[in-house]
Amino acid sequence: PSTLKIQVNALDSTASLTASANVTLALDGGDKQEGTGSVQAAVAAGFTTGNVFYQDHGAVNANWLNPFRDLWIKTDVALADGVLSLGTTLTTNCTSFDRTHKIPFIPAATWVRLSLYFPGWQYDTGTTRGIRCWAIIANSDPGVVTLKFDDLAATRRVTGNMVAHNRVVLPNGPCF
């Protein structure tokens, strides 16, 4: 199948991200998967659980309307299944979540491309479609760790022809 990708955040900058207490965000221009850098989140001993960092779009962002969330992640120590989650919401500053998805086991010192499926992805409240805020959440204490993230995208898997802007788009092929 082909993939329709809409980049939500290239994670080439920390400017639009808000870190929690005891978390320091920085840009790593050398260790990355795509673009000009990756976001590095250094988690200190005083952090336990909750949002590691989040991005509030300030208004509903319709780019989230595809059901898969693709994200590169790397950590300096292995993290068990479910220590971290990706959360999405329509609320301001990610104070609560409409949907969360646990991040599976991440081995140490290896970039891993996650593809998380969010059922009920449309967040349709009649007039509002999309996501306002997303966060990386620590469900349990990750300990002192350096996390890296790159290229968060909302994607849709395509197994046949699709229509985009009233044109037929063939998987891995041209528009007609």
Side-chain angles (χ1 to χ4, degrees):
S2 294
T3 301
L4 173 65
K5 175 181 171 182
I6 299 174
Q7 193 169 62
V8 174
N9 188 322
L11 295 172
D12 290 336
S13 168
T14 61
S16 64
L17 305 175
T18 302
S20 293
N22 297 307
V23 175
T24 303
L25 296 177
L27 182 66
D28 187 334
D31 190 10
K32 60 185 173 57
Q33 290 299 298
E34 299 182 29
T36 60
S38 63
V39 166
Q40 177 176 293
V43 179
F47 181 85
T48 55
T49 60
N51 293 349
V52 177
F53 67 90
Y54 68 88
Q55 178 183 21
D56 188 325
H57 295 288
V60 174
N61 181 334
N63 284 343
W64 283 86
L65 290 178
N66 292 315
F68 288 91
R69 308 294 174 255
D70 290 346
L71 173 68
W72 286 102
I73 183 172
K74 182 179 181 181
T75 176
D76 63 343
V77 297
L79 289 179
D81 180 58
V83 170
L84 300 176
S85 290
L86 174 65
T88 59
T89 184
L90 287 169
T91 64
T92 304
N93 298 327
C94 289
T95 54
S96 64
F97 295 94
D98 300 310
R99 302 282 191 276
T100 60
H101 201 302
K102 290 184 179 179
I103 293 174
F105 167 79
I106 303 294
T110 304
W111 279 105
V112 175
R113 180 73 172 177
L114 300 177
S115 187
L116 307 173
Y117 178 66
F118 277 66
W121 54 270
Q122 66 274 7
Y123 295 97
D124 188 352
T125 62
T127 58
T128 305
R129 292 178 60 89
I131 300 298
R132 169 156 183 162
C133 192
W134 65 271
I136 298 296
I137 307 161
N139 302 307
S140 59
D141 189 347
V144 175
V145 63
T146 299
L147 306 165
K148 293 185 180 182
F149 300 91
D150 203 0
D151 194 45
L152 175 61
T155 61
R156 176 170 293 168
R157 306 300 187 261
V158 180
T159 56
N161 297 344
M162 66 178 179
V163 176
H165 306 288
N166 295 321
R167 303 173 116 191
V168 175
V169 181
L170 301 177
N172 298 317
C175 295
F176 294 100

